[in-house]
């Protein structure tokens, strides 16, 4: 696998040297950092899932160029491996709790969301229920009946909400995909990018770091320039119930059981109503969930 990726990179870049293997563990994509003979850094990425590769290449061609120098640029792609070569952006993965970084990340996400808007999503509930069924078909008994009944009923409860528009979403928007260099935030990793409701790009933050850091949440939302209202929060809570399903299945298939266990705890917290209370108490300017 690596030899073929290196060969493709050299076809694209000419003579180059592999500096590091930067891929994630647990059966994810193979990612190599390379440097060409002029000293320019590049990344070559080979994804084992063709549909994920196709989604990422589409994002790099359709949306990412609108971010200018705040994101990598696609140099080449092939469906045969499948693989792509992208430019490097400066910075290191953000691991701190800087309020300014969160504000800037909010502004960058708003910029990404404004690239493309889609008509109101009139069949949102039916679409997401079908997604549940598709993931459960791969679950091999990972879920009990109360868990699945909760996810489906939560999604059905969204039937009365006006159909929201979709926008160009990153769909894995979290600090691990923000690179920071001299105070500037750069965005990477677009393999989950797809049309979605804007608020669903907040899920990883809302159900993670922001629970104990409302200052970071408010800095981000101030930067984004919008606070979620009652309908947005209902969509976020309902949609993230589905997200926990595919996260659990995906992590099981790739052997990342520690993360899968953490996601299941979020699902159980949703079932106990913990996050509805959190949204009520801590989201400034939002109407209360009832």
């Amino acid at each position: 696998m690596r030899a073929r990726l290196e060969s493709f990179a050299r076809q694209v870049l000419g003579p180059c040297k592999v500096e590091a293997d930067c891929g994630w563990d647990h059966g994810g994509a193979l990612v190599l950092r390379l440097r060409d003979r002029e000293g320019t850094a590049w990344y070559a990425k080979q994804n084992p899932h063709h549909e994920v590769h196709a989604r990422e290449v589409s994002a790099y061609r359709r949306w990412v160029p609108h971010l200018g120098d705040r994101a990598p640029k696609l140099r080449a792609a092939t469906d045969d491996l499948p693989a792509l070569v992208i430019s490097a952006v400066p910075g290191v993965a953000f691991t701190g709790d800087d309020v300014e970084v969160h504000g800037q990340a909010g502004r960058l996400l708003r910029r990404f969301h404004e690239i493309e808007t889609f008509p109101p999503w009139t069949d949102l509930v039916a679409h997401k229920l079908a997604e549940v069924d598709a993931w459960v078909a791969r679950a091999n008994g990972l879920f009990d009946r109360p868990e699945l009944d909760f996810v489906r009923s939560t999604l059905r409860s969204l039937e009365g909400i006006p159909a929201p528009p979709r926008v160009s979403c990153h769909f894995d928007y979290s600090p691990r995909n923000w690179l920071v260099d001299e105070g500037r935030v750069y965005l990477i990793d677009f393999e989950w990018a797809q049309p979605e409701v804007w608020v669903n790009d907040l899920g990883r933050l809302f159900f993670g770091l922001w629970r104990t850091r409302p200052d970071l949440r408010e800095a981000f939302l101030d930067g984004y320039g919008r606070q979620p209202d009652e309908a947005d929060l209902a969509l976020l809570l309902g949609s993230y119930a589905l997200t926990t399903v595919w996260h659990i299945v995906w992590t099981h298939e790739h052997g990342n059981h520690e993360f899968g266990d953490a996601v299941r705890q979020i699902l159980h917290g949703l079932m106990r109503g913990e996050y509805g209370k959190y949204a009520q108490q801590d989201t400034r300017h939002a109407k209360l969930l009832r």
Side-chain angles (χ1 to χ4, degrees), residues 198 217-219 221-223 225-233 278-289:
W198 79 275
R217 182 188 64 250
E218 297 308 337
L221 293 174
D222 285 345
R226 177 176 178 179
Q227 295 281 339
D229 62 17
E230 184 176 12
D232 292 326
L233 290 170
Y278 153 57
Q280 279 184 301
Q281 294 167 357
D282 293 334
T283 303
R284 181 161 50 94
H285 305 317
K287 297 178 182 178
L288 299 185
L289 291 176

